[in-house]
Amino acid sequence: MKWQIHPAQGLRLRCWEDEAIVYNDLSGDTHLLSANAADVLTRLQAQSADESGLAALCAADWQVPDDADLRTHLHALLMTLQDLSLVEQTPS
Amino acid sequence: MNISALSSEELRRRLRHSGLRFRTGMLTACVRSRLENVAAGIELLYADYPLAEEDFADFYVEVSPPRNLRRWVRPQVDFRVDGASPFKPLPADQAFPMFEWGLNWCVSSQIHDVLIIHAAVIERHGHAAVMPAPPGSGKSTLCAALIQNGWRLLSDELTLVRRSDGALLPLPRPVSLKNASIDIMRSKAPHAVFTPAVRDTLKGTVAHMKPPTDSVARALEPALPGWVIFPKYEAGAATSMTPLPRARAALRLADNAFNYSTLGAAGFEALANLVGASRCYEFRYSDMNEAIAAFADLCPGEQPS
C-alpha cells in the first residue's frame, strides 16, 4: 500500500519553528501539525510513497536511525494525517 | 469638510431626509435617523469624520422606530441596512449603541476584499499590534488606554487585512466600553469625550469614547504587521508578555476571523502572511499602567527566540 494526497485536494502549508498549519481546500479546514507531520505531508505532496520508503527518507532528513521507533512514529503520523483527511492509502 | 462643519440643524436635517454620508477609513456610510439620541451621538463622536459628497455609499443604514405598535408602546428601535432588518429591535434608548453594533455588522458581513478579524488593532511607528480577544477579555479597555498613550487607533473591533499586500487598513470608530471599564477610562482619560452610559443592554452598561482626532485624520494610512497579541485581563495577575508559537497564533486568529472560511485559500494566505510577519504573544495583566509600559517596550523587526 502507498500513501498519497487525494488527487483532487489542494493543500497549503506554512511552517514556523517546529510547528505548521495546513489548509485543506476540499474541506476548508485548517489544522495544526508538528514539523515532522508537515514534512511527511510535503513529501507526499511531491510523490506518493509506501511507509518503508518514507521512513528511509525521513531518517536521512531528520538524522535519526531507520528503526522500529521511527517506523512506529511515522505510522502514527500517517494515521493522524489520515484521520484529518489529509492523506489516504492506495494500492501500490 | 468634516461633520463638525455642519450646524446641528443641518446635521439633523440630513439624518432625517437625504442621509448623512461620511467616511470611516476606506468605507462610506449613508445614515438616516429621526432619533435624537442617534443624532447627538454622531454629533459628539463623529465630528472629525470627513463628509462624503459622492452618491455612492458602501452601506445605507437607517436607525429608526419599528413600523408597529412598538413605535409608541415601550418604544423600540430598529436597525436597517439596504432596507432589511438583520437584527431584532432593541429598546429605544439603545439606539446609538445599536447604530455602532450595526455598522460593525455591516463591515464584518459584507466586506470580503479584506480578511476581517475580530480584534482591536493599534499602530506605532508604522507597525500594527493586532489584539484578538473574546468579549470580556479587556481588549477594548486596553485599546482605549493605549490610544491615549502614544498608539494610533486603527480599530477597536475589526482588524482589516488587505489581501493583496497584507497591510492593516484603518477603520477608526468610537471605542466601545462596557461596565467597569467606562469609569476606568473616564478617570484615566479625563479629557476624552464619552457618550452617556446606556444601561441594560445585552452587553451590560455601554458607552462610547470618541477616537483621537489624529487617528481619524490618518484613516487612510495603512500599517505594516508588527505584533499579534492575545490580551487577557486577570485581576491580580502579574504583567507578562509571553511568546506564542506562530502556528498556534494562526489557528487562534482563524477562530477570530469573521470571513476566514468565506475567503477559503485566500483567507489562509492572508492570515499566514500576517502571522509570518508578526511577533506573537500572550499578554496577561491586571495593572493598566504596567500594561501601557509593556506595549511601549515592543520593538518591531526582532525575531522571537
Side-chain angles (χ1 to χ4, degrees):
Chain A
M1 298 290 279
K2 281 195 169 185
W3 291 91
Q4 66 174 20
I5 308 295
H6 191 287
Q9 188 167 276
L11 301 179
R12 293 168 184 258
L13 267 168
R14 289 291 186 101
C15 304
W16 299 285
E17 294 98 31
D18 59 357
E19 290 180 327
I21 53 171
V22 60
Y23 175 78
N24 180 348
D25 70 349
L26 269 188
S27 65
D29 291 333
T30 304
H31 304 284
L32 176 70
L33 300 179
S34 66
N36 285 354
D39 197 27
V40 169
L41 205 57
T42 303
R43 293 188 180 285
L44 292 177
Q45 273 188 300
Q47 189 175 352
S48 62
D50 59 28
E51 284 193 40
S52 292
L54 269 176
L57 290 170
C58 290
D61 265 359
W62 301 346
Q63 299 185 325
V64 298
D66 183 359
D67 58 12
D69 281 347
L70 172 65
R71 292 192 180 222
T72 300
H73 176 60
L74 180 61
H75 183 73
L77 281 180
L78 289 165
M79 289 295 112
T80 298
L81 293 174
Q82 184 178 55
D83 288 343
L84 295 176
S85 302
L86 295 173
V87 301
E88 62 182 15
Q89 282 188 302
T90 184
S92 302
Chain B
M1 190 166 77
N2 291 346
I3 289 178
S4 60
L6 300 177
S7 67
S8 286
E9 291 76 17
E10 177 60 16
L11 172 72
R12 284 158 176 79
R13 188 194 70 77
R14 293 191 186 196
L15 282 168
R16 288 192 192 108
H17 300 291
S18 56
L20 178 72
R21 293 165 193 264
F22 60 92
R23 292 198 198 90
T24 57
M26 65 176 190
L27 301 174
T28 300
C30 177
V31 180
R32 293 175 59 227
S33 180
R34 292 179 173 273
L35 298 171
E36 176 54 29
N37 48 359
V38 173
I42 290 175
E43 189 171 32
L44 185 66
L45 301 188
Y46 283 85
D48 298 331
Y49 288 72
L51 290 164
E53 299 300 335
E54 62 272 18
D55 287 339
F56 170 80
D58 293 286
F59 314 114
Y60 292 84
V61 304
E62 183 178 354
V63 187
S64 56
R67 296 165 182 145
N68 55 36
L69 273 179
R70 299 305 294 272
R71 193 178 187 91
W72 300 282
V73 178
R74 282 185 289 138
Q76 291 180 328
V77 59
D78 209 8
F79 180 91
R80 297 187 198 104
V81 55
D82 296 338
S85 300
F87 315 118
K88 292 182 180 178
L90 292 177
D93 64 334
Q94 298 181 22
F96 184 76
M98 190 179 203
F99 165 66
E100 288 294 316
W101 298 331
L103 268 191
N104 287 341
W105 179 88
C106 288
V107 175
S108 64
S109 63
Q110 298 183 34
I111 303 296
H112 295 303
D113 54 349
V114 292
L115 175 67
I116 307 174
I117 305 170
H118 183 204
V121 55
I122 54 178
E123 173 270 331
R124 191 186 64 175
H125 303 316
H127 287 84
V130 176
M131 297 186 287
S137 60
K139 158 179 67 70
S140 292
T141 312
L142 179 60
C143 174
L146 288 167
I147 64 175
Q148 302 293 332
N149 286 276
W151 291 81
R152 173 168 67 113
L153 173 69
L154 272 65
S155 177
D156 77 316
E157 192 74 18
L158 300 172
T159 293
L160 308 183
V161 184
R162 188 160 57 195
R163 289 162 49 184
S164 59
D165 61 0
L168 287 303
L169 303 181
L171 192 67
R173 296 241 319 282
V175 178
S176 174
L177 299 168
K178 297 190 292 286
N179 303 317
S181 67
I182 299 171
D183 286 338
I184 289 171
M185 285 313 304
R186 284 188 193 276
S187 67
K188 288 240 174 255
H191 302 296
V193 175
F194 299 86
T195 62
V198 178
R199 303 186 192 289
D200 300 323
T201 77
L202 287 174
K203 302 185 179 189
T205 299
V206 301
H208 286 83
M209 184 179 84
K210 185 173 184 273
T213 300
D214 179 66
S215 297
V216 179
R218 296 168 63 190
L220 294 180
E221 183 182 318
L224 295 171
W227 308 271
V228 175
I229 301 173
F230 294 86
K232 177 83 172 130
Y233 173 84
E234 290 177 359
T239 304
S240 65
M241 187 80 77
T242 307
L244 179 65
R246 284 190 169 101
R248 291 172 193 266
L251 275 193
R252 289 172 64 177
L253 270 181
D255 283 342
N256 282 280
F258 288 105
N259 61 349
Y260 179 72
S261 296
T262 302
L263 294 180
F268 174 84
E269 293 294 334
L271 186 134
N273 289 339
L274 171 63
V275 169
S278 301
R279 301 172 67 194
C280 302
Y281 296 101
E282 299 261 22
F283 181 63
R284 295 288 183 269
Y285 74 104
S286 59
D287 183 285
M288 188 60 78
N289 291 331
E290 289 184 9
I292 293 168
F295 272 72
D297 286 342
L298 292 172
C299 295
E302 294 174 14
Q303 294 303 310
S305 55

